[in-house]
Amino acid sequence: MVSSVLSNFVLSNLVLSDVAKPNIVKSASDRREYRFVELSNALKAVLVSDSSATLAAAAVDVRSGSANDPDDVPGLAHFCEHMLFLASVKYPVEQDYDAFLKRHGGFSNAFTADSHTNFYFEVLPESLREALDRFAQFFIAPLFSVGGVAREMHAVDSEHAKNLQSDAWRLWQLGRSLAAAGHPHNHFGTGSLQTLNRTGVHSELLRWYGDHYLSHTMTLAIVGAEDLDTLQSYAADLFSAV
């Protein structure tokens, strides 16, 4: 059984963007099957077949995060993470991805760290391929609409406002501020209207995505009830265009 907790545990421990070809070791009691593959575009994938799974899951980890923000646009990596959820060329209706997952017993989330950005979801097993198709479009052809940019920066600002009420977040940012000037840790990664609401941010966003969302910096993980050959075909068919 792949529960929500187990799905996220498996994905968080296997989605490693800086590995070459890992030797996957499992316990004798683990009935799942595992496979590591590298697609034609150099995107790495870890596949997990669990015939008894009641939920399927997937994640993509991108080896770039808020430490890669331009000095003059703090929060751009986090803002880009938000924007990818809205729409794509193939699925242009905003929020189609989240709506699909909700209709099929799933959910999604993401986070932006200093050195990487991680996106993940879970869904009922029979809907895995359709969910993966929508998910793949984040990394193939997202729609960075001007209207979406204007709206989503307010969502980022709301998240920043929420963080201001948290002692843990304030201490974390204080630690960043005390780092040496010019050190990658000395930055503001969340973003706000003050840092994002600026002339040219749409062009900056497109440039940042093009420079950092590259197939060879990504690792995909899929957990599903299908056999490994089928999961590999999903990965190749849906993510080779990244």
Side-chain angles (χ1 to χ4, degrees):
M1 177 179 178
V2 181
S3 67
S4 173
V5 173
L6 181 57
S7 298
N8 291 331
F9 174 81
V10 170
L11 294 170
S12 64
N13 281 276
L14 292 180
V15 179
L16 303 172
S17 296
D18 55 355
V19 296
K21 187 171 182 178
N23 179 28
I24 299 175
V25 179
K26 67 174 186 176
S27 69
S29 60
D30 189 350
R31 301 298 182 184
R32 301 175 193 84
E33 296 181 308
Y34 300 84
R35 179 182 295 172
F36 173 87
V37 298
E38 185 169 323
L39 304 185
S40 59
N41 58 358
L43 187 150
K44 301 176 180 68
V46 178
L47 312 172
V48 184
S49 174
D50 182 355
S51 59
S52 63
T54 58
L55 285 171
V60 166
D61 195 83
V62 183
R63 196 168 65 240
S64 191
S66 60
N68 302 105
D69 283 342
D71 291 340
D72 57 342
V73 196
L76 191 62
H78 182 221
F79 185 37
C80 183
E81 171 220 304
H82 272 244
M83 287 298 303
L84 295 184
F85 281 85
L86 293 186
S88 65
V89 173
K90 186 172 183 179
Y91 297 101
V93 177
E94 286 197 5
Q95 308 296 345
D96 173 83
Y97 170 70
D98 280 335
F100 176 87
L101 292 177
K102 288 176 182 177
R103 290 196 306 271
H104 296 87
F107 81 100
S108 67
N109 211 337
F111 63 86
T112 302
D114 280 356
S115 60
H116 66 113
T117 306
N118 190 280
F119 304 82
Y120 58 93
F121 75 84
E122 67 179 34
V123 72
L124 292 174
E126 60 270 21
S127 300
L128 175 61
R129 194 185 191 285
E130 290 181 85
L132 283 170
D133 188 30
R134 287 165 167 79
F135 188 44
Q137 302 309 310
F138 283 35
F139 315 104
I140 297 173
L143 275 183
F144 291 109
S145 70
V146 174
V149 165
R151 290 191 302 276
E152 201 60 29
M153 69 173 62
H154 284 85
V156 171
D157 191 67
S158 294
E159 186 173 336
H160 170 56
K162 173 183 65 67
N163 291 343
L164 290 176
Q165 309 306 311
S166 166
D167 288 343
W169 274 100
R170 292 204 300 272
L171 285 171
W172 179 245
Q173 186 58 46
L174 176 62
R176 290 179 181 276
S177 302
L178 293 174
H183 191 280
H185 192 62
N186 187 333
H187 70 279
F188 170 52
T190 306
S192 66
L193 280 176
Q194 183 177 351
T195 67
L196 298 172
N197 190 15
R198 46 178 282 146
T199 301
V201 71
H202 185 262
S203 297
E204 290 271 10
L205 183 63
L206 294 175
R207 186 181 304 112
W208 198 91
Y209 177 83
D211 289 345
H212 293 275
Y213 277 67
L214 307 171
S215 57
H216 69 276
T217 69
M218 298 180 188
T219 302
L220 164 71
I222 304 174
V223 180
E226 296 88 340
D227 59 61
L228 288 173
D229 288 340
T230 301
L231 294 177
Q232 184 170 340
S233 72
Y234 290 174
D237 292 348
L238 301 174
F239 288 85
S240 290
V242 173

